[in-house]
Amino acid sequence: MNLRRLLPVLAGVALVAATFSVRALRAAPQGHADDEAQLEAEKSLGSPSAPIKLIVYDDYECPACGAFYEQTLRPMIDTYVAEGKVYLVHRDFPLPPPIHQFSRQAARWVNAAARIGKFEAVERALFDNQMAWSEFGSENPKGIMKPFVQSALTPAEFKRVERIMQGCESNDHDELKGCAVDPEIQRNIAAGELIPIRQTPTFQIYYKGQPYPPEAGMVPWTLLKQFFDQILSQK
Amino acid sequence: MTADARWTLGRVLLLVGRLALAAIFFAAAYGKLSPLTVKQWTLSSLKITPASLNLSMTFFAMQLSSYQMLPDWAVNPIAHALPWIELALGILLLAGIGLRYVAAAATLLLALFWAVIIRSYALHLGINCGCFGPNEKLTGWRVVEDGGFFALGLAVTVGAFIHGRRQRTSVSALP
């Protein structure tokens, strides 16, 4: 076949291939962004249109995370989140054994509850009773968190959460194949590793999409509020 | 080496050490006072404004608080004073004014920083150091580095006192 005749055909094929490649490349980040938005919506409090976004990487078994939740996040949820100033996003970063034996299992319960829109209630129940389940967990590793999750939900809600938790019964810290919520936890961990996180809690503040440097450790509400007030007073 | 050569070498080393120490304090002060949200490193992006200054010092207060060593009421005043103290020490070290006392004060401050860093590292706090700005992890390397800064401060202080004493001796020996 004449090469001159072939050239337009080859050019056409190349053009079509290039168009599909560009579309595929564009589609991939969009899908990823949708996943991220879905994840954020499930484990967040407040309005996504709030000027400040606070992303917190937590481990439910870490005492500093418990203190940060009770002393800093709770007053913030009651005030700045309720007033539409702050959008609080939770991300899981369960530290592995031997540091924390049950952190992954706690994250699984919270993620399962998040799927039925009960993230806040179960997160609060687990942090409020952190001492109880983390200290005596070894006596009943599979069911130690169950009563606390149950107490935060209606019987019907708890049944739904239990169904989601099928396949997540093992206390294994690694990702379980049959556990529906483990991929979500893995995505949270992967996002945390990009920062990278060395300690929990670690949090990052965004103001109108502009990120501030991540900060780690227990910070009292008075200081965080002071920082928020200064950001909000900016023109 | 003659006494004169040793004297000159000592003066040069003291000058280099003093300038290095000043640079460390300038960098530490700038890290705490510089704008927090720098997207691109251009000259204009590094500009410090009153608003950015307030925000940076408040952010530093959060970092200071994460060391869990200070009572809540002390965090803000210390966080707002420390960068300026570091800046003042840097200027005085650069100018060489009252070198013996300034170097001694700088060394005391560096010793305090080192002790705090060692404690936090030993407790596995895993927090950000906040030494030269935000998002700076407190690692083993930071412990070594701060030890080096303290050693430098100590050397400059000792050098400044020796130099000062010799200068006084040579002046009083004049006919």
Side-chain angles (χ1 to χ4, degrees):
Chain A
M1 195 184 280
N2 194 335
L3 195 63
R4 278 186 185 173
R5 277 186 186 175
L6 249 179
L7 268 176
V9 177
L10 285 174
V13 169
L15 191 69
V16 171
T19 309
F20 274 100
S21 307
V22 168
R23 276 192 183 179
L25 279 174
R26 279 185 184 163
Q30 184 57 47
H32 182 69
D34 289 347
D35 284 351
E36 284 299 308
Q38 171 79 12
L39 266 176
E40 269 194 20
E42 281 178 357
K43 294 190 287 181
S44 63
L45 297 173
S47 164
S49 60
I52 296 172
K53 181 160 99 174
L54 177 70
I55 299 181
V56 182
Y57 289 87
D58 261 331
D59 171 318
Y60 289 103
E61 201 175 342
C62 113
C65 298
F68 187 61
Y69 178 80
E70 300 291 352
Q71 293 164 36
T72 305
L73 296 183
R74 280 279 279 267
M76 189 191 80
I77 291 165
D78 294 342
T79 55
Y80 278 36
V81 172
E83 291 161 15
K85 291 177 181 169
V86 175
Y87 179 50
L88 173 63
V89 177
H90 169 95
R91 284 193 181 154
D92 293 297
F93 203 82
L95 299 171
I99 306 170
H100 293 149
Q101 218 182 330
F102 310 108
S103 56
R104 168 69 84 138
Q105 195 63 3
R108 285 175 183 140
W109 278 110
V110 176
N111 277 270
R115 286 200 171 185
I116 63 155
K118 286 288 165 187
F119 159 71
E120 187 182 5
V122 172
E123 181 186 53
R124 184 169 286 202
L126 288 188
F127 270 135
D128 285 354
N129 299 286
Q130 189 193 51
M131 289 281 278
W133 58 262
S134 59
E135 263 187 50
F136 304 109
S138 50
E139 291 165 17
N140 181 15
K142 282 181 186 172
I144 191 69
M145 272 157 266
K146 225 174 183 175
F148 303 112
V149 176
Q150 203 164 8
S151 70
L153 303 169
T154 64
E157 286 167 348
F158 184 65
K159 268 189 183 170
R160 286 175 67 195
V161 170
E162 266 200 316
R163 267 201 296 275
I164 297 166
M165 280 291 282
Q166 275 171 10
C168 307
E169 289 83 4
S170 164
N171 194 43
D172 201 334
H173 187 82
D174 295 327
E175 187 178 359
L176 299 172
K177 255 190 173 178
C179 179
V181 292
D182 262 4
E184 289 173 17
I185 298 171
Q186 285 308 120
R187 279 201 290 270
N188 280 192
I189 294 170
E193 278 167 352
L194 286 177
I195 287 186
I197 287 177
R198 288 174 55 86
Q199 189 220 356
T200 53
T202 291
F203 60 88
Q204 189 159 21
I205 298 163
Y206 291 76
Y207 176 64
K208 292 181 178 171
Q210 192 181 31
Y212 284 89
E215 182 49 17
M218 169 64 197
V219 172
W221 169 232
T222 47
L223 286 177
L224 194 61
K225 183 178 174 293
Q226 182 184 327
F227 189 73
F228 287 163
D229 288 344
Q230 281 183 7
I231 296 178
L232 291 168
S233 68
Q234 281 182 343
K235 286 175 186 171
Chain B
M1 194 185 276
T2 63
D4 273 357
R6 271 206 308 271
W7 172 249
T8 309
L9 180 67
R11 284 186 66 178
V12 169
L13 285 176
L14 183 60
L15 177 72
V16 171
R18 174 163 73 84
L19 295 181
L21 211 53
I24 290 166
F25 277 99
F26 280 133
Y30 182 76
K32 293 175 185 85
L33 299 173
S34 58
L36 288 171
T37 51
V38 174
K39 283 178 184 170
Q40 285 178 325
W41 290 95
T42 59
L43 272 180
S44 61
S45 73
L46 303 179
K47 203 174 135 193
I48 295 171
T49 63
S52 80
L53 206 60
N54 261 332
L55 211 55
S56 300
M57 286 195 286
T58 308
F59 195 84
F60 178 56
M62 292 201 288
Q63 291 184 313
L64 204 57
S65 155
S66 65
Y67 278 92
Q68 297 165 32
M69 285 183 74
L70 294 168
D72 284 355
W73 59 265
V75 172
N76 258 325
I78 293 176
H80 283 71
L82 191 59
W84 300 110
I85 293 171
E86 289 174 334
L87 186 66
L89 284 172
I91 292 169
L92 291 170
L93 283 165
L94 187 68
I97 302 165
L99 186 60
R100 282 174 293 169
Y101 307 107
V102 172
T107 306
L108 275 176
L109 196 59
L110 289 170
L112 181 72
F113 289 163
W114 196 29
V116 169
I117 294 290
I118 290 171
R119 173 197 173 268
S120 306
Y121 187 70
L123 289 174
H124 302 286
L125 286 187
I127 54 174
N128 284 326
C129 174
C131 312
F132 292 97
N135 203 16
E136 187 192 354
K137 307 294 175 203
L138 203 162
T139 58
W141 170 245
R142 172 62 57 206
V143 177
V144 175
E145 199 178 63
D146 270 31
F149 293 159
F150 168 66
L152 176 67
L154 201 61
V156 171
T157 307
V158 171
F161 272 94
I162 292 171
H163 179 74
R165 202 173 54 194
R166 280 193 187 164
Q167 229 170 9
R168 278 200 306 278
T169 314
S170 59
V171 168
S172 61
L174 282 173

